[in-house]
Amino acid sequence: MTPQETARRAQVWQDAQLALLALQLEPQGLGGIWLRAGHGPVRDAWLAGLQATRLPTLKIPAQVDDERLLGGIDLAQTLQLGRLVQQPGLLAAADGGAVLLPMAERLPPQTVAHMAQAQDRGAVLGCGGQEERPARFAMVALDESEADEAGLAARLTDRLGLWLDLRSNCLADTADTLEALDPQEQTEARQLLRRIRPTEMQVQALCEAAMALGIDGLRAPLQALRLASVHAALQGRDALADEDLAAAARMVLGPRATRMPEPACDAEPPPETSAQDEPQPQDPSPADPGQPQQADPEMLIAAAMASLPPHLLDRLLLGQGANKSASGLGSSGQTTRSKLRGRPLAPRPGKPGAGARLHLLATLRAAAPKQRLRHQPPGAGSVRLRAEDFHVQRFAQRSPSCLIFALDASGSAALQRLAEAKGAVELLLQDSYARRDSVCVIAFRAAAAQVLLAPTRSLVRAKRALAALPGGGGTPLASGIQTALQQAHTLQRAGSTPMLVLLSDGRANVTAAGVGGRAQAHADALAWAGQWRSSGFSALWIDTSAQPDAQAQTLARQMGASYFPMPYVQAQRMAAVVQDLAGPVRKS
């Protein structure tokens, strides 16, 4: 292990310890912590530090139901007492503390939406005749996903101020720990925190650093500013210093970076002046301690980039973000509603019939608060139901998905580039086979496109079709997109979700009619690319030219496809980045 890697891992663990103190001092202001670490001694050591902070923490399982999470009607007590009795949810019980989310990357989308809404507005605290007020809490999301798996949903990561990645740390890195704040230290730090007022220049510097790193939205700069204030209070200061801003940039802005910052332009040399115009030297005077110092955005950018691991810099150079969407890899196709089978959803009001089944518990829960208003005779044991109380069951099913690989096998692709494309497609085929996706292989060369392999789940047949693919001839790009679109419509009618991965340099020279002519061929390709975009199907364009080509970029934008230039990486690394891109492509 190199000394740079050792120092980086030590800094990561030090930041993880600082995050615990920040969460102890200001749990609600920072939103919470996103911790990426596998189950093991490193995560256990960090969780032991969280317990040492004495912050009230409530664990919430990944498969918690909506009623237990948000609260609702206590049906048994309501029917027994004849009046409405409510029970509080877990989020309301966590008021003033934190909620711990184990295996947070597996949270269902509905639970993610509830957690995000509660983080923004606060859970409802108060039941029955009690006064209702928002319950505020922090979230600690434990993400156990690997590098090639979908991570925590973006709707939660955007709201969590601190992102920690301990996957590369080992037990030896956990020797140095920070002691939690005692009650007296908490009181003194909070008094300092209330007195801290950031200057306008400091706020502007953080915003400029966020923009340079490609961070959209205002949450990240606000969270960085809050962490800088917390860091200053922990250090015993009542004003922000460069050290506090650098720590905030490193811990909040750095992990969110989506691009490499542009190099600063060299300043123009000052104009030459004559001896008469030259200003006379003045006696140096000490700086006014009350005058705020101007924060340097370049210093904050450097602090943020210094904490990034090397593999993340590779992905930033390719224009990719730092994390996947939780609705990406591992999911099948689009989610469809069903009345009979699938994953159970929350029941909705409706009348049974036409295949819809009555949800008895939800129906009784809706009718229970209204029994006294329906003039039920005293002592009667029956429950009076009306049509407005009926709730029906709902289920969610995921339709199967199919990856359509369209390969440019023309002479412009060249044999070496075609071999690299075949290798990358084979790696992607293995990943698709592991997810039980079906695949379809289309090749376009000479005068028209050809379906080499109809949609199938056979990995052997797909590899055999790729091995037999010849190269050479013209580039009928319009025919390739047209054939892929026809296959996509056929798959959609069969209930599958089509997704296109197109490998080409974009240099079309054969028209849709199968004759030569570069101008008309490019116009036909643009027209069919627009047809693909209007269909709403997802697409990914891999540019196989020796250098990123403007024609390929134009066609990718016309298709609404994600663009990826192939020359930057080898086939194996390209397949890994394509898997990253598959998150936003595979929308549910």
Side-chain angles (χ1 to χ4, degrees), residues 124-194:
V124 176
L125 182 62
C127 298
Q130 301 179 11
E131 182 181 358
E132 293 185 353
R133 62 179 180 85
R136 300 296 180 182
F137 56 89
M139 286 190 292
V140 179
L142 305 181
D143 188 345
E144 300 179 8
S145 62
E146 298 294 337
D148 58 345
E149 296 177 341
L152 186 63
R155 282 175 291 181
L156 288 186
T157 59
D158 187 43
R159 290 165 170 81
L160 301 180
L162 302 174
W163 294 8
L164 304 176
D165 192 345
L166 301 180
R167 290 176 295 180
S168 61
N169 288 75
C170 62
L171 184 60
D173 301 328
T174 64
D176 297 332
T177 59
L178 299 177
E179 295 185 2
L181 303 176
D182 57 37
Q184 179 64 27
E185 291 174 336
Q186 287 189 54
T187 303
E188 295 175 356
R190 283 173 179 154
Q191 291 176 353
L192 291 173
L193 184 60
R194 285 193 290 266

Side-chain angles (χ1 to χ4, degrees), residues 157-385:
T157 59
D158 187 43
R159 290 165 170 81
L160 301 180
L162 302 174
W163 294 8
L164 304 176
D165 192 345
L166 301 180
R167 290 176 295 180
S168 61
N169 288 75
C170 62
L171 184 60
D173 301 328
T174 64
D176 297 332
T177 59
L178 299 177
E179 295 185 2
L181 303 176
D182 57 37
Q184 179 64 27
E185 291 174 336
Q186 287 189 54
T187 303
E188 295 175 356
R190 283 173 179 154
Q191 291 176 353
L192 291 173
L193 184 60
R194 285 193 290 266
R195 294 203 298 266
I196 294 177
R197 295 293 183 269
T199 66
E200 183 178 351
M201 289 180 290
Q202 292 169 339
V203 176
Q204 182 177 356
L206 281 175
C207 292
E208 290 180 1
M211 292 177 62
L213 295 173
I215 302 174
D216 298 327
L218 294 177
R219 280 198 179 99
L222 289 174
Q223 291 162 347
L225 190 62
R226 193 60 179 171
L227 179 61
S229 301
V230 171
H231 187 272
L234 291 174
Q235 298 296 326
R237 293 188 290 267
D238 59 357
L240 293 184
D242 288 346
E243 176 187 353
D244 308 318
L245 297 174
R250 183 180 68 251
M251 297 177 63
V252 179
L253 301 183
R256 289 172 163 83
T258 60
R259 67 167 179 248
M260 297 289 290
E262 297 180 358
C265 299
D266 295 334
E268 296 182 359
E272 297 182 359
T273 57
S274 60
Q276 294 86 353
D277 299 333
E278 193 170 309
Q280 298 298 323
Q282 298 179 358
D283 295 334
S285 58
D288 184 3
Q291 184 70 19
Q293 299 297 318
Q294 183 175 2
D296 185 9
E298 297 296 331
M299 179 269 296
L300 301 183
I301 295 174
M305 299 304 294
S307 61
L308 297 183
H311 67 85
L312 185 57
L313 290 176
D314 287 341
R315 293 170 62 184
L316 293 179
L317 286 171
L318 295 172
Q320 304 310 315
N323 61 300
K324 302 181 185 70
S325 169
S327 61
L329 294 175
S331 62
S332 294
Q334 294 177 342
T335 302
T336 58
R337 296 292 184 261
S338 174
K339 299 177 181 178
L340 300 177
R341 63 180 63 89
R343 181 175 60 85
L345 298 177
R348 65 171 179 82
K351 294 182 180 180
R357 298 177 180 176
L358 180 69
H359 195 289
L360 182 59
L361 185 59
T363 301
L364 291 176
R365 186 181 294 114
K370 307 170 185 176
Q371 294 302 300
R372 297 183 65 182
L373 301 177
R374 294 177 181 175
H375 306 291
Q376 184 176 9
S382 60
V383 179
R384 292 180 177 267
L385 297 178

Side-chain angles (χ1 to χ4, degrees), residues 41-108:
V42 176
R43 194 182 75 170
D44 292 342
W46 189 86
L47 290 177
L50 175 62
Q51 186 178 4
T53 61
R54 297 179 296 276
L55 180 68
T57 305
L58 183 63
K59 182 182 293 187
I60 296 181
Q63 300 301 327
V64 62
D65 59 89
D66 295 346
E67 184 178 0
R68 188 72 184 97
L69 183 68
L70 304 175
I73 299 174
D74 190 334
L75 186 59
Q77 291 293 324
T78 297
L79 294 177
Q80 180 179 355
L81 300 178
R83 58 181 176 84
L84 181 62
V85 179
Q86 293 182 335
Q87 57 181 357
L90 292 175
L91 296 182
D95 182 37
V99 295
L100 184 65
L101 304 174
M103 294 188 297
E105 75 279 5
R106 302 185 183 182
L107 286 175

